[in-house]
Amino acid sequence: MRLLRENPDGVDVSIYTSNVDPDAAALSASDVSEIEPRHVGNDEYARFALDFCRRHRIDVMIPPRRLTALAGRSAEFAEIGTRLMCSPLSAVEVLTSKRRTYEEASAAGLPVPPWRVVADADGFRAAVEELSLTDDKLCIKPTGEYSAFGFRILQDRPLSMKDLLVPPLPVASVDAVAQALRRAADESDMVPELIVMPFLDAPEISVDCLSAPGGELLVGIPRAKQGRYRMLLDDPRATGIAERLVKHFELAYLTNVQLRQYHGEPVLLEANPRPAAGLFQTEFTGVNLPWAAVRVLLHGDSGLRQPPRLGGCLAVTEAVMEVPPRALLPVAAPVPVPAAVVSVPAPGQVTADTRIAVAVPTPVPVAADASITVSVPASAPVSIGVA
């Protein structure tokens, strides 16, 4: 939100947020907030998003989640005067499945770790036995979009005193996981598709990407964690892998590619067709990626004239701010409203007098259930919606 407000073009930005949780703290940081419908299918969520953009006259919708509900609906948003910032539906459908991601990335020659997909206890034990021949430390996680939920490091050794005196890890024994899968089968519980793979070595490198439609990488900024510090890396190998992946899947605007080490070489951990939660850290390279993405969408020009400054080290601290009490807007029933006539200013027409309203869906609890919208009034009102 802050990077959109503090954009280099000096445009006045107002923020609209939506969330399924009325107590989400980020709602208080926006100018206008609204509660989203909870537990709804893709079609109903798309209707909500379209109605939200129509009622608030949003010019650009930037969804960081529920991408399968919105990708491929650019024409529907265009009919109400809204530009949708999203990669192609074909790419979104692949990258929201780790299995399909690894299959297609491997076929494209991108480095991926060994993996096995399982759905029952016997398949799980067979995958562990096979992968244990080459790797001592394995893990299991759902193949779909579950954030870190469902991730476990497989560990059979007894608990030690050292284990009790350090922060807990998400560990489970092979027997415990196999028994859980067997009980689920006996009780007819739904079991998501699971992936078994080596637990990859640190550092985990997250490459924030800005690309044009069609997959041309404009900027790639690798960053990694080191305790409470964040390193902005000058790592051509990491950027090169991200560039090849972005090109192969024809990703557009803000996306993120995550890498880890396997036997000393960087391999793909996962790729997200959406901006990462840590994107704000990239401002310390001297670029404003969220605003550059808005410019690419509206004008085909990022406005970036200098490469990012890499090699920096960031200290992570906490900040607290007081916000005034506020009432949330109720979810209004969709009402047919004529689409506003929207005039999108050319790059040379954006001045300090231009005003932008940004609607920002907020994360629940990580980055899952939030939507962002940006409204950019210019000569004629222009609004940008970021989901």
Side-chain angles (χ1 to χ4, degrees):
M1 287 191 246
R2 182 174 57 79
L3 290 177
L4 288 168
R5 283 179 167 138
E6 297 177 4
N7 63 84
D9 291 327
V11 176
D12 184 20
V13 174
S14 300
I15 305 291
Y16 292 74
T17 62
S18 64
N19 198 295
V20 297
D21 181 4
D23 295 323
L27 295 177
S28 297
S30 62
D31 299 294
V32 177
S33 56
E34 188 168 305
I35 304 304
E36 293 186 359
R38 186 187 290 268
H39 305 312
V40 298
N42 282 349
D43 288 342
E44 186 173 346
Y45 184 80
R47 285 194 293 272
F48 163 79
L50 285 161
D51 181 62
F52 183 93
C53 291
R54 181 186 296 110
R55 286 185 286 108
H56 294 292
R57 297 189 176 185
I58 301 303
D59 298 305
V60 178
M61 181 72 171
I62 311 175
R65 57 182 186 77
R66 296 301 301 260
L67 299 182
T68 53
L70 302 179
R73 296 181 182 266
S74 296
E76 294 176 60
F77 280 93
E79 288 177 1
I80 61 170
T82 299
R83 302 283 294 277
L84 180 65
M85 184 186 289
C86 193
S87 290
L89 178 60
S90 57
V92 169
E93 290 177 334
V94 171
L95 296 179
T96 49
S97 163
K98 294 179 179 66
R99 172 183 61 81
R100 294 186 64 188
T101 298
Y102 283 177
E103 287 173 349
E104 290 214 15
S106 179
L110 290 160
V112 299
W115 83 96
R116 298 293 182 270
V117 173
V118 302
D120 56 36
D122 292 339
F124 167 68
R125 287 192 179 278
V128 169
E129 182 177 356
E130 180 184 357
L131 292 174
S132 295
L133 297 175
T134 54
D135 295 281
D136 297 330
K137 197 172 186 180
L138 304 179
C139 64
I140 186 171
K141 53 190 172 183
T143 65
E145 278 197 310
Y146 288 85
S147 186
F149 299 113
F151 170 77
R152 295 292 186 275
I153 299 170
L154 299 176
Q155 181 174 290
D156 285 332
R157 65 174 175 80
L159 189 70
S160 68
M161 183 55 64
K162 181 181 178 181
D163 296 329
L164 288 174
L165 299 177
V166 298
L169 292 173
V171 298
S173 69
V174 171
D175 282 345
V177 174
Q179 290 168 12
L181 288 169
R182 202 172 298 282
R183 280 195 301 273
D186 292 342
E187 298 170 8
S188 299
D189 286 347
M190 190 277 293
V191 177
E193 192 175 60
L194 301 166
I195 190 167
V196 180
M197 58 184 287
F199 180 69
L200 302 174
D201 296 328
E204 182 173 318
I205 298 176
S206 181
V207 186
D208 294 305
C209 301
L210 171 66
S211 57
E216 178 192 359
L217 184 69
L218 303 176
V219 180
I221 301 177
R223 51 187 171 84
K225 297 179 181 179
Q226 186 173 308
R228 291 185 63 85
Y229 294 93
R230 301 295 181 266
M231 318 302 292
L232 301 170
L233 306 175
D234 187 357
D235 189 336
R237 283 203 305 174
T239 305
I241 293 172
E243 182 174 19
R244 289 163 57 196
L245 185 142
V246 167
K247 182 64 177 176
H248 175 75
F249 289 104
E250 298 186 348
L251 300 181
Y253 313 112
L254 296 174
T255 55
N256 179 262
V257 178
Q258 297 175 25
L259 310 171
R260 271 185 167 254
Q261 307 298 306
Y262 181 64
H263 295 176
E265 295 294 326
V267 294
L268 179 65
L269 178 62
E270 63 181 58
N272 298 305
R274 55 170 174 77
L279 180 69
F280 68 93
Q281 299 168 25
T282 60
E283 72 167 306
F284 292 93
T285 67
V287 301
N288 185 326
L289 288 185
W291 188 252
V294 169
R295 289 184 56 106
V296 170
L297 179 67
L298 293 181
H299 312 306
D301 170 33
S302 69
L304 301 176
R305 299 295 178 258
Q306 300 295 328
R309 298 189 305 269
L310 302 176
C313 177
L314 311 178
V316 178
T317 60
E318 283 191 56
V320 179
M321 68 176 184
E322 183 177 4
V323 296
R326 55 183 296 131
L328 298 175
L329 297 178
V331 178
V335 178
V337 178
V341 178
V342 177
S343 170
V344 177
Q349 294 176 318
V350 177
T351 69
D353 294 328
T354 305
R355 185 175 177 279
I356 297 186
V358 181
V360 183
T362 59
V364 182
V366 191
D369 279 319
S371 301
I372 300 180
T373 320
V374 183
S375 227
V376 188
S379 345
V382 180
S383 56
I384 303 176
V386 184

